[in-house]
Amino acid sequence: MSPQVILPELVDLDVAPGDAPEAVIRHLAALVTTAGRAADADELAADALEREAKSGTGVPGGVAIPHCRSESVAEPTLAFARLSKPVDFQGPDGPADLVFLIAAPAGGGKAHLKILSKLARGLVKKDFRAALRGAATPEEIVDVVDARIAGTAQKTASEPTAAAKKPEPAPTEPTKSVTRIVAITACPTGIAHTYMAADSLTQAADDRDDVEVTVETQGSSAVKPLPAETIAAADAVIFATDVGVKDRARFAGKPVIESGVKRAINEPTAMIDEAIAAAGNPDAKRVSGTAGADDADSSSSPGGSSLSWGKRIQQAVMTGVSYMIPFVAAGGLLLALGFLFGGYEVADVADRVSQAYTPWNLPGNEITMDDGTVTVVDRSDLMLYLGAILFATGNFGMSAIVAILSAFIAFGLAGRPGIAPGFIGGAISVAIGAGFLGGLVTGILAGLIALWLTSLSVPRWLASLMPVVVVPLVASMGVGLIMFLFLGRPLTSLMNALTDWLGGMSGNSAILLGIIVGLMMCSDMGGPINKAAYLFATAGLSTGDEASLQVMAAVMGAGMVPPLAMALSSALRPSLYTQAERENGKAGWLLGASFISEGAIPFAAADPLRVIPSMMAGGAVTGALSMAFGAASRAPHGGVFVFFAIDNVLGWFVAIIIGAIVGAIAVTAAKQLWPRKTAVDSASADPADAPAAAAASA
């Protein structure tokens, strides 16, 4: 890395640009521009603030690292401010007094990521932070940072140099009191937290003589896998990840401790102690060697044999729902667009119009069907033709959702070998009328059968044929036989009963269902309960009956409430929220209007006891009112932007507005009457207690 990434004129010490991240970022952007590294300070600041709005860049130790790529930046640049008055960048231990702005050219490749990852790894070191706080001049800051970025600072065990490596042990039996641990760290962006977690673990290990830790960082840059001999010699494994572990099968059979990546940053010693205990416990959770654990992502992989079958099946179902949602969104929105262009009668003539007509032979408003009957519709010519094509395309997509659900439930249990039998089982469910209930059952059956087959010990000549021929063939045959001989008719009867029940809903029963789905949608805002309610609604959407469309409207309306309610509350009573929460509240208006319930997660994570019950109250009100008003949605997603696919759209809007107001009033009252300590309050305590205080504030 160029030693000129930071210069004395890019350093400002003991300053107070303002009380909010925006003021600090603009101050640093001005330094970069004055130094000739950027053409436009406002553009650079806007790019950095856009990144900051996605999630705060505060990290442990009272540090913040706002960063961005910008068209205005000429070369990778690092600006630094030591603040006399700390500012809240949403760090885990309160406001930050050390702030780095990393500015990279828009077309600068991975230079931006490399600077950030090296800097982040240094920030977990107490001596590095102490040097930054103790420096008397900008020149001293430059020397400290240059040494870190250029790699002349001491490396950790996860990034060893020849000089820093521990001496190779003599070729004798290793000391039995030393536990060897290998670890994987990974975060969704693969930049800061990945490397900070790695260095936290290795530094904690360096302070003790009973353990050796070697870390593989699965970050944004090239991954250097752990040597096979190192894994083989390991006594235990730590997975500190928020995403799937690549090549998980390498660790099969090893005792394992798993957590999110932030726990490795905040509690490295505790994780190491747990790994040491697991190494000596024959009943400890171990990394599974099954295909499901190796091939599925972290949301679906069993992770280890200690997970109950109920939990593994639940994770697999959630995997199926997650993979199904894009198909539902694409197919459902295409159906909605078909109605927009072709009118509601397009559903009756879409197949005929899309196949019998062309752009040079457009249909009129009288369509002769295959059986010779004539269907009269309101639209004609190009609008009807486009509507029919869009509707037919969406209809094909919606017809596949049960098979997709079943395929990826099986994938969640057995990995890739489960996809084919799961898909075939789902297709059978649709054909015999078992619907999404059948898809759930066939996905689980296919996954379990495929998982059992992949666990069999077979001759070497047969092993290569197992995943591509034997497992799909036998598992598909098994699912087909079970469905046609035993489960098909009962599941079809159950699905018909459910459909009849939905169709017969009216009055109080419909309102009660609206309350239930509203509570579910707002209980975890994108989590398993939310997904279960959404699956219930979208599965019925493919049938097209009015009751199912009303459930879809109630589910979508209730899911819009949490971001809107938090946006309203933070706008009306900003003093109850931190600066970062107020910024999240501004984004909540658009997120809520777009039916992105996850927009309220930052509020719920910071204050779950007050936020979640309040949002559930608002969601229940919206669900009940939507059902009472008879609002119906032909679109599975899109929020207010698919208003054209909503029946009684005015009533639906009223239901959402009232629910958002109820949620906002409830959360405001809860925060007012039952106040919590803020991150700023926590920061005033002993720094050593800051992480615990921040956690307690929730």
Side-chain angles (χ1 to χ4, degrees), residues 20-33:
E22 180 178 358
V24 179
I25 289 172
R26 291 192 179 279
H27 181 78
L28 290 170
L31 289 181
V32 175
T33 305

Side-chain angles (χ1 to χ4, degrees), residues 59 173 182 213 250 315 331 351 435 476 484 499 540 607 629 637:
V59 296
E173 191 71 14
V182 291
V213 175
R250 295 174 292 164
Q315 290 178 336
D351 289 341
S476 299
F484 281 115
T499 302
D607 192 9
F629 293 155
H637 214 291

Side-chain angles (χ1 to χ4, degrees), residues 166 174-181 201-213 235-236 268-277 279-280:
K166 294 181 178 180
T175 305
K176 293 184 179 180
S177 61
V178 175
T179 302
R180 292 189 173 92
I181 299 173
L201 289 170
T202 53
Q203 285 183 52
D206 287 343
D207 293 336
R208 36 198 302 179
D209 56 9
D210 61 339
V211 67
E212 293 179 1
V213 175
D235 301 302
T269 301
M271 292 197 72
I272 290 174
D273 288 339
E274 292 171 13
I276 293 174

